[in-house]
Amino acid sequence: MTNALWKSLYFATITGLSWCSCCYDAGPGQNPNIPAIAQYFSTKGRYEEVNPYLINDILAVNSSALQPPSPQCRQIHLTAIIRHGTRYPTAKNVKKMQDVHRVVQNSTGGRDSWLREIRDWRMWYTEDMDGRLVRKGVDDLRHLAVRLSKLFPSLVAEEKLRGGRIKFITSSKHRCVNSTLSFIAGLTEAWAIRDMEVEHAVNDALMRFFDKCTKFLEEVDKNPSALIEADKFKRGPEMKRVQEKLADRLDVPYDLITYDLVEAAFYLCAYEFAIKTVNSPWCRLFDQKDAQVMEFALDLKQFWKRAYGHDINSKSSCILFHDVFSRLDKAVTEHNSGREVTEAVTVQVGHAETLLPLLTLLGFFKDSRPLTSANYATQTHRSFRTSRMIPYAANFLLVLYDCGGEDIRLQPLVNEQPIAFPGLTDQGESMPLYEDVKRQYQELLQGCDFETVCELFKTPTEG
Ligand SMILES: *[C@@H]1O[C@H](CO)[C@@H](O)[C@H](O)[C@H]1NC(C)=O
Ligand SMILES: *[C@@H]1O[C@H](CO)[C@@H](O)[C@H](O)[C@H]1NC(C)=O
Ligand SMILES: *[C@@H]1O[C@H](CO)[C@@H](O)[C@H](O)[C@H]1NC(C)=O
């Protein structure tokens, strides 16, 4: 399908929608095609909810947001670490969705017509879908590729691709390989390239480091007590209220509605929206307060399993951390010695579980207090919100600039928005000197050895 055709189809499904911040607070009456709770879907959220201007124009970029310190700054390298696009639920989640579907079909409450709509809703998710990329996921990556070519025109450029200076590395999971191919297709379609094959490398050691880090696997992944705060919250008063409200809406006994069923219903709303762009009747089971509680429960899980909750979570990404910085070093060295940078662009496609530990290792989205089962109320304005950080097609970009002489700068962006390196904010802008960034991460650069930190029964003393 051509870009233009797809776009027109896409907009046909969200007719009459004009972007404004009111979309979020609006009741379903005002923007019937976007669930009122769409900004709380955590890792099941749509990228467009993070950058709402994309709802009007999926290829829009805001180049002025990059704001290099002087107009003579030139882009010399881009590393893009990208999560795969929108996908089907995994087999495990499909099972839970089937469970909640059965409970709802059994419910007798019939006062509301939307309840009948849920009962009539046909369960179409099957276990064999097992997390594969959907059509919307293909477009997530195709469109991201085009936007990056607009944001970084001298790097994500046809002659760089033809010259083999854009490199692709992906996790072996089908959804990631497909995302990589979709990103490449976005570029080759945009430049009408038909006479060349673009290669990609599969590298799970880099993109699925979490599977290879023994200490992480033993102490967190397979250790139920590592998630004790998340579990406590699921049994706590805020969640109990969400379960009771849902039971009331369905007119079923309270003890029938477990946390897992609530989560499955929430995910059904999220998947129907992300995959088909429909505001399904499942969304009516939650109001905004409920959705905020659900989001916090999901954030808690990510916090303790992939982020600041345990030190090994972020340390497991040491291998990717060093890979990124050695590539940046190489680009700077080549550039400073007057050569053309070998890898103008590196695109690395992985998972939410790839991005979150790395962002954590670098200190992004760190609140002054950890997220716990007891501080839902005081964490309302937390920066650790997975809905904003890691929706489908989430991306972490590192852009090297030459601003004249040996003035080399590094700009980090998350989901195409510039952010500041923690501890380097006194620079007044988000583009510090590369040397200052390296000084900031000196300890990690000198330590953070994957083999050492992932070894079980050994506490590394450095990095
Ligand atoms: C683009 O970025 C500039 C600078 O950060 C900002 O002031 C402006 O609001 C942005 N525009 C949009 C449409 O987001
Ligand atoms: C559906 O209702 C029947 C009859 O009340 C009951 O036996 C069965 O356990 C219910 N099933 C579910 C999934 O709630
Ligand atoms: C990628 O996913 C899309 C959408 O599910 C599918 O149509 C396509 O065949 C997949 N591509 C590959 C190479 O598997």
Side-chain angles (χ1 to χ4, degrees):
M1 207 184 300
T2 66
N3 227 338
L5 177 57
W6 189 86
K7 249 179 93 176
S8 62
L9 280 178
Y10 180 80
F11 285 110
T13 61
I14 53 168
T15 36
L17 185 71
S18 69
W19 174 67
C20 56
S21 54
C22 62
C23 299
Y24 292 138
D25 310 319
Q30 267 175 286
N31 286 290
N33 297 300
I34 297 186
I37 59 172
Q39 60 171 319
Y40 303 112
F41 291 150
S42 180
T43 57
K44 312 288 181 271
R46 226 177 40 145
Y47 191 77
E48 288 88 324
E49 263 49 57
V50 176
N51 288 324
Y53 56 87
L54 297 175
I55 294 172
N56 270 347
D57 179 1
I58 196 69
L59 300 180
V61 295
N62 188 0
S63 301
S64 65
L66 296 179
Q67 285 181 331
S70 94
Q72 64 170 334
C73 295
R74 285 189 302 125
Q75 301 162 353
I76 57 175
H77 170 83
L78 166 69
T79 285
I81 304 173
I82 306 173
R83 186 190 179 204
H84 58 76
T86 309
R87 61 164 173 82
Y88 286 117
T90 55
K92 197 176 104 203
N93 271 333
V94 170
K95 278 207 192 89
K96 290 185 192 172
M97 284 151 65
Q98 287 164 342
D99 290 344
V100 73
H101 182 235
R102 270 193 292 275
V103 168
V104 170
Q105 282 199 309
N106 228 7
S107 81
T108 51
R111 295 180 307 259
D112 302 299
S113 64
W114 58 264
L115 200 51
R116 239 171 297 133
E117 278 179 54
I118 302 188
R119 260 186 254 131
D120 292 342
W121 181 87
R122 190 180 62 84
M123 180 70 195
W124 65 280
Y125 297 97
T126 53
E127 286 177 40
D128 61 4
M129 290 173 170
D130 205 20
R132 291 166 80 94
L133 206 65
V134 299
R135 175 69 219 184
K136 169 69 166 71
V138 169
D139 292 314
D140 289 337
L141 273 291
R142 282 173 58 230
H143 292 144
L144 177 62
V146 174
R147 290 197 304 274
L148 293 189
S149 76
K150 289 164 81 176
L151 274 176
F152 309 106
S154 63
L155 299 174
V156 186
E158 181 175 356
E159 96 264 7
K160 300 283 192 221
L161 187 70
R162 287 193 178 276
R165 292 180 189 276
I166 304 184
K167 203 167 154 187
F168 296 90
I169 302 170
T170 177
S171 140
S172 65
K173 283 278 167 182
H174 191 277
R175 56 182 171 276
C176 295
V177 175
N178 196 332
S179 293
T180 306
L181 298 174
S182 304
F183 188 101
I184 293 171
L187 297 182
T188 53
E189 285 164 21
W191 299 326
I193 295 178
R194 291 188 194 87
D195 57 345
M196 69 175 281
E197 287 284 314
V198 180
E199 289 181 1
H200 66 267
V202 171
N203 189 338
D204 280 346
L206 274 187
M207 306 316 294
R208 293 181 60 81
F209 51 76
F210 43 89
D211 272 353
K212 325 260 169 190
C213 182
T214 314
K215 190 177 165 79
F216 168 74
L217 292 174
E218 294 301 319
E219 293 186 355
V220 179
D221 201 42
K222 295 185 207 157
N223 175 7
S225 71
L227 296 187
I228 196 150
E229 286 300 320
D231 290 335
K232 269 198 210 157
F233 188 73
K234 288 182 195 173
R235 294 192 305 266
E238 291 94 349
M239 190 57 74
K240 183 154 181 263
R241 188 73 198 111
V242 174
Q243 288 170 228
E244 289 172 356
K245 280 162 77 182
L246 196 137
D248 283 342
R249 288 181 181 122
L250 290 175
D251 209 4
V252 297
Y254 285 170
D255 59 7
L256 203 60
I257 302 298
T258 60
Y259 170 80
D260 277 357
L261 288 189
V262 176
E263 188 190 88
F266 191 64
Y267 279 168
L268 268 169
C269 165
Y271 277 117
E272 289 287 281
F273 181 56
I275 296 175
K276 304 200 293 191
T277 322
V278 300
N279 184 354
S280 87
W282 291 98
C283 304
R284 303 286 292 275
L285 291 171
F286 301 89
D287 60 30
Q288 188 176 350
K289 272 206 181 114
D290 303 331
Q292 285 166 340
V293 172
M294 292 306 294
E295 185 194 38
F296 190 71
L298 298 168
D299 284 356
L300 265 177
K301 183 176 163 198
Q302 297 292 342
F303 184 89
W304 290 93
K305 191 158 183 183
R306 306 286 170 183
Y308 294 101
H310 303 285
D311 193 48
I312 189 61
N313 296 353
S314 60
K315 289 287 169 58
S316 65
S317 73
C318 281
I319 188 167
L320 182 58
F321 170 86
H322 281 296
D323 173 72
V324 166
F325 274 92
S326 60
R327 189 176 308 105
L328 296 174
D329 274 349
K330 184 165 174 248
V332 170
T333 306
E334 287 174 340
H335 179 79
N336 282 346
S337 63
R339 278 174 284 158
E340 191 180 350
V341 174
T342 319
E343 263 179 73
V345 181
T346 309
V347 175
Q348 300 184 290
V349 179
H351 307 262
E353 296 82 357
T354 314
L355 276 166
L356 209 42
L358 182 65
L359 292 172
T360 301
L361 189 67
L362 296 171
F364 293 112
F365 305 106
K366 185 171 190 181
D367 298 292
S368 52
R369 280 155 198 256
L371 273 61
T372 71
S373 57
N375 64 13
Y376 169 70
T378 54
Q379 290 284 10
T380 314
H381 302 291
R382 67 191 179 277
S383 65
F384 193 88
R385 276 190 62 199
T386 53
S387 304
R388 323 268 331 150
M389 298 156 66
I390 42 173
Y392 295 121
N395 50 82
F396 176 48
L397 311 176
L398 287 167
V399 196
L400 275 175
Y401 282 83
D402 177 350
C403 293
E406 303 236 314
D407 186 346
I408 305 287
R409 291 174 182 267
L410 185 67
Q411 179 173 53
L413 300 93
V414 169
N415 300 328
E416 298 167 72
Q417 305 302 323
I419 51 167
F421 280 112
L424 288 171
T425 46
D426 53 329
Q427 305 268 325
E429 79 262 324
S430 72
M431 210 180 287
L433 288 169
Y434 181 53
E435 284 310 313
D436 288 342
V437 176
K438 285 184 43 171
R439 196 168 311 119
Q440 183 72 15
Y441 295 114
Q442 201 168 8
E443 264 185 54
L444 290 172
L445 285 167
Q446 284 160 9
C448 198
D449 174 60
F450 182 79
E451 301 295 331
T452 315
V453 299
C454 290
E455 214 170 291
L456 207 52
F457 311 124
K458 198 171 162 189
T459 317
T461 51
E462 36 81 88

